[in-house]
Amino acid sequence: MKRVAVPVVKGYLSEYFGQCNHYEIYEIDGESVKSEEIEIPPKGDITKLPEWAASEGITDIIAYKIDKCIITLFTSFRINLFVGIPINSPRNLIEDYINGNLKSDEKIISEIMA
């Protein structure tokens, strides 16, 4: 079972990981969504988000841009990051995730790693 989080602003993937209104969290078993919920992340220090995500049982996060300093924090909690994913609705992103069709924008990856 996977718990996949999508940071959302105005119904779409948030451009900046730490600046979302809420997370839409999808529980996925095989190729089907078993449940979905909305969670409001703690405000303030973005370095606290990996610990919060781990406490929520999140296994994977889909993101557009993310500060490279917290990528290591997520991996220390064994949370997979899909970064540089083009902005789309959470439902479309989850369909792409389930079907193995998430594709990172190499330009965004280069910006993050610079």
Side-chain angles (χ1 to χ4, degrees):
M1 187 88 61
K2 297 279 189 175
R3 282 180 53 85
V4 184
V6 180
V8 176
V9 169
K10 297 181 181 176
Y12 289 91
L13 177 65
S14 176
E15 183 174 354
Y16 296 100
F17 175 79
Q19 299 175 7
C20 66
N21 295 343
H22 65 272
Y23 287 86
E24 292 192 17
I25 301 172
Y26 296 82
E27 194 162 286
I28 299 171
D29 187 12
E31 295 184 5
S32 61
V33 174
K34 295 297 180 190
S35 67
E36 75 182 77
E37 60 190 74
I38 293 176
E39 292 289 336
I40 310 273
K43 299 291 181 199
D45 186 359
I46 65 167
T47 62
K48 304 278 187 212
L49 288 174
E51 185 175 353
W52 171 80
S55 74
E56 293 289 323
I58 293 169
T59 59
D60 302 80
I61 294 177
I62 298 172
Y64 182 66
K65 291 183 181 177
I66 189 169
D67 190 316
K68 70 179 179 181
C69 75
I70 66 169
I71 291 173
T72 305
L73 294 174
F74 277 106
T75 58
S76 72
F77 283 99
R78 299 179 188 251
I79 297 172
N80 301 308
L81 294 172
F82 296 85
V83 180
I85 304 303
I87 295 172
N88 204 329
S89 72
R91 189 47 111 160
N92 287 342
L93 293 170
I94 290 301
E95 289 298 320
D96 285 346
Y97 173 90
I98 289 170
N99 294 319
N101 293 330
L102 286 178
K103 302 249 188 283
S104 296
D105 181 329
E106 292 301 320
K107 180 180 174 191
I108 299 304
I109 299 296
S110 295
E111 283 179 28
I112 291 169
M113 302 316 283

